[in-house]
Amino acid sequence: MLIQHPSLRLPITAADRVLLEIQRAIVAGEITAGSKISEPELAKQFDLSRAPLREALARLERCHLIERIPNAGARVVKLSTKGLLSLYQLRETLEGLACRLAAEHMADSEIAELRQLLDQHLSTQRVREGESYYQEAGDLDFHYRVILGSKNDYLINILCDELYYLVRMYRVQLGMNGPRVSRAFDEHKAILNAIANRDGELADLLMRRHIAASRRNIEKQLEQTGS
Amino acid sequence: MLIQHPSLRLPITAADRVLLEIQRAIVAGEITAGSKISEPELAKQFDLSRAPLREALARLERCHLIERIPNAGARVVKLSTKGLLSLYQLRETLEGLACRLAAEHMADSEIAELRQLLDQHLSTQRVREGESYYQEAGDLDFHYRVILGSKNDYLINILCDELYYLVRMYRVQLGMNGPRVSRAFDEHKAILNAIANRDGELADLLMRRHIAASRRNIEKQLEQTGS
DNA sequence: ACTGTCAACATTGTCGACAATTAGACTAAA
DNA sequence: TTTAGTCTAATTGTCGACAATGTTGACAGT
């Protein structure tokens, strides 16, 4: 029951396919962070010409997964504490806004569906206690729906298309599967209640706290890891 | 004394040149809003092949000036009240955040330069009373510096690269040269003082108000014009 | 008159090759 | 040994042509 990604363009072209594949590989860390991207090599690897590949690279740059320098090539971004902090600063503000707008604009039916989703998460969570499933899919799915509920196209685009994959990259590569799962669930529930009560201000505040808590959790993980 | 645009990549390629040209033409309204973009036609017009042109189109899509549908072509975005509202909702939040961060991170020397810039604006404004110069260049230059002062790369990228041209497009095509100039100047001054006092919270608030006022001003203009 | 089908056209997506630029190795001089 | 310069090789930027897809108009059937 995955929600439709807004940027999924219906006529799927070769560039789209290779984009999704590379995106996944970078997020998963299969293409090492900081490593150079060779256009001819990737083209051969995916068995297509450089034209659609360059189209894909342009979109990878758009979601901050690679950095390109004219005439010098592209490199996979390197994760850093500074980058993580900047990213989460933005998310706190933007998803807070999304929450406030969602409280204003979400239809009652959408709110009901969101509640249903949370119930579903609860049961799944009980079954797979301690696994990273919730963080990987469930959490992001909840955030997704709230963002879409804001009904602000620019906001949706920035959060779901441009920052989303980077957030996932930090989570995946830092191994986010800690004990924050159950607490995060409670926070989601509180946010949903605020939205359902049409209390945009509270929803904003709770979402900011939720993301700040998530950030601190990752920072702790980062300290332990070293880098 | 224009400030360096962060996205100005040093080795300027053909794609860069045509991008800047089309960008300008769309913002200025020379390419009508809502009109279709023909790749072969534009390629002939700028006397280059379609490869760099498509690169330029990809970046135009990135800053929301055009919308592309696979296998069906690109269209210049249409301005709308809903879009304007969404855009300014975002700006209020994002530039507010930028202000708060700027109050924390700007060096004293940068603040001094910003004050100098405002003094310069004052004299220019007195000379060209009522003209749109201030709104066109000065105001944006002030906002630019504050955004850069936030030192948050993602935030800078979103505001300066992705939303900036769209904001200009609304301003230019709605003929923003009203009597808000002098009031805007005072607001800038108050924002700068808050930043200089390292009062991030106040700077945030003042910037939000400043942009909200600007939005109401444009909305009024939009009602008069009709659609 | 209206609708559905089909064919010709135009436009976009993709390809392989060439030109322009850069990175890296190697040489030579301080 | 270090450093500056040069040259080669590899990579990126650009080009023109072909394939795939979408659009437009005419035409036939209802």
Side-chain angles (χ1 to χ4, degrees):
Chain A
M1 223 263 243
L2 213 75
I3 201 161
Q4 169 86 344
H5 190 117
S7 75
L8 198 70
R9 317 177 315 159
L10 251 293
I12 294 179
T13 147
D16 289 323
R17 279 192 299 274
V18 68
L19 167 67
L20 291 175
E21 192 57 34
I22 300 179
Q23 218 167 36
R24 190 199 57 73
I26 291 180
V27 169
E30 294 170 15
I31 303 180
T32 315
S35 66
K36 187 167 184 335
I37 299 242
S38 165
E39 291 183 8
E41 184 184 326
L42 275 184
K44 197 172 63 183
Q45 187 173 330
F46 289 101
D47 193 42
L48 39 71
S49 104
R50 280 175 52 218
L53 184 71
R54 284 171 66 86
E55 171 85 25
L57 290 185
R59 292 195 218 152
L60 285 175
E61 185 182 26
R62 179 172 173 171
C63 53
H64 306 279
L65 290 184
I66 67 172
E67 287 168 355
R68 295 172 92 185
I69 299 174
N71 288 315
R75 307 194 80 88
V76 180
V77 294
K78 271 198 285 193
L79 304 185
S80 68
T81 308
K82 182 174 181 292
L84 179 74
L85 196 71
S86 296
L87 181 59
Y88 271 71
Q89 261 176 352
L90 250 186
R91 278 191 70 204
E92 280 182 43
T93 297
L94 286 177
E95 294 209 30
L97 173 62
C99 252
R100 202 170 70 230
L101 295 177
E104 297 173 14
H105 298 318
M106 273 181 91
D108 291 332
S109 61
E110 290 175 312
I111 295 177
E113 286 172 20
L114 192 49
R115 176 155 279 140
Q116 199 175 344
L117 180 76
L118 274 195
D119 290 340
Q120 185 185 323
H121 283 173
L122 182 59
S123 58
T124 311
Q125 181 192 351
R126 276 180 181 154
V127 174
R128 311 188 177 194
E129 194 81 43
E131 277 194 33
S132 64
Y133 168 83
Y134 184 66
Q135 282 289 350
E136 288 301 310
D139 184 71
L140 287 173
D141 202 5
F142 176 80
H143 286 250
Y144 248 65
R145 300 227 180 182
V146 172
I147 292 165
L148 293 180
S150 76
K151 305 283 198 293
N152 183 320
D153 289 340
Y154 299 118
L155 182 58
I156 292 171
N157 177 62
I158 290 174
L159 283 172
C160 294
D161 292 347
E162 294 178 19
L163 301 181
Y164 168 75
Y165 296 99
L166 200 52
V167 172
R168 281 203 58 192
M169 187 171 171
Y170 271 101
R171 283 193 174 179
V172 170
Q173 301 205 11
L174 294 183
M176 272 310 300
N177 48 4
R180 230 185 77 74
V181 171
S182 61
R183 195 189 307 167
F185 179 84
D186 292 336
E187 291 169 2
H188 285 179
K189 209 167 169 183
I191 291 171
L192 174 59
N193 285 335
I195 291 177
N197 291 332
R198 304 302 184 183
D199 188 343
E201 203 172 337
L202 181 60
D204 184 339
L205 175 72
L206 290 176
M207 180 58 96
R208 283 172 185 253
R209 280 196 193 166
H210 173 60
I211 292 174
S214 174
R215 186 201 67 220
R216 282 191 294 272
N217 195 42
I218 292 188
E219 280 174 342
K220 204 163 56 185
Q221 209 99 14
L222 214 153
E223 286 169 12
Q224 289 176 359
T225 312
S227 172
Chain B
M1 226 265 245
L2 213 74
I3 203 161
Q4 169 85 346
H5 190 117
S7 75
L8 199 68
R9 318 178 314 159
L10 250 291
I12 294 179
T13 141
D16 289 322
R17 280 192 298 274
V18 68
L19 167 67
L20 291 175
E21 192 58 34
I22 300 179
Q23 217 168 35
R24 191 199 56 74
I26 290 180
V27 169
E30 294 170 15
I31 303 180
T32 315
S35 65
K36 187 167 184 333
I37 300 243
S38 165
E39 291 184 8
E41 185 182 327
L42 274 185
K44 198 171 63 182
Q45 188 172 332
F46 288 102
D47 194 40
L48 40 70
S49 107
R50 280 174 52 218
L53 184 72
R54 285 170 64 86
E55 171 85 24
L57 291 184
R59 292 195 219 154
L60 285 174
E61 185 182 25
R62 180 174 172 169
C63 55
H64 307 279
L65 290 184
I66 67 172
E67 287 167 355
R68 296 173 91 186
I69 299 174
N71 288 315
R75 306 194 81 88
V76 179
V77 295
K78 272 200 283 194
L79 305 185
S80 68
T81 307
K82 181 174 181 293
L84 179 74
L85 197 69
S86 296
L87 182 60
Y88 272 71
Q89 261 176 351
L90 251 185
R91 279 191 69 206
E92 280 181 43
T93 296
L94 286 177
E95 294 210 31
L97 172 63
C99 253
R100 201 169 70 231
L101 296 177
E104 296 173 13
H105 298 319
M106 274 182 90
D108 291 333
S109 60
E110 290 176 311
I111 295 177
E113 285 172 19
L114 192 48
R115 175 155 279 141
Q116 199 175 343
L117 181 75
L118 275 195
D119 290 340
Q120 186 184 323
H121 284 173
L122 182 60
S123 58
T124 313
Q125 180 192 352
R126 277 180 179 153
V127 174
R128 311 189 176 195
E129 195 81 45
E131 280 194 31
S132 63
Y133 168 84
Y134 184 66
Q135 281 288 352
E136 289 300 311
D139 182 71
L140 288 173
D141 202 5
F142 176 80
H143 285 249
Y144 248 66
R145 300 225 179 185
V146 172
I147 293 164
L148 292 181
S150 76
K151 304 285 197 293
N152 182 320
D153 289 339
Y154 299 118
L155 182 58
I156 292 171
N157 178 61
I158 289 175
L159 282 171
C160 293
D161 292 347
E162 293 177 20
L163 301 180
Y164 168 74
Y165 296 99
L166 200 52
V167 171
R168 282 201 56 192
M169 187 172 170
Y170 272 100
R171 283 192 174 181
V172 169
Q173 300 205 13
L174 294 182
M176 274 306 304
N177 48 4
R180 230 186 75 76
V181 171
S182 61
R183 196 187 308 168
F185 179 84
D186 292 337
E187 291 168 2
H188 285 179
K189 210 166 168 182
I191 291 169
L192 173 60
N193 285 336
I195 291 176
N197 290 333
R198 304 302 184 182
D199 188 343
E201 203 173 336
L202 180 60
D204 184 338
L205 174 72
L206 290 176
M207 180 57 96
R208 285 172 185 251
R209 279 196 193 165
H210 173 60
I211 292 174
S214 174
R215 187 200 65 219
R216 283 191 294 272
N217 194 42
I218 292 189
E219 280 174 341
K220 203 164 58 185
Q221 208 99 14
L222 214 153
E223 286 168 12
Q224 289 175 0
T225 312
S227 176

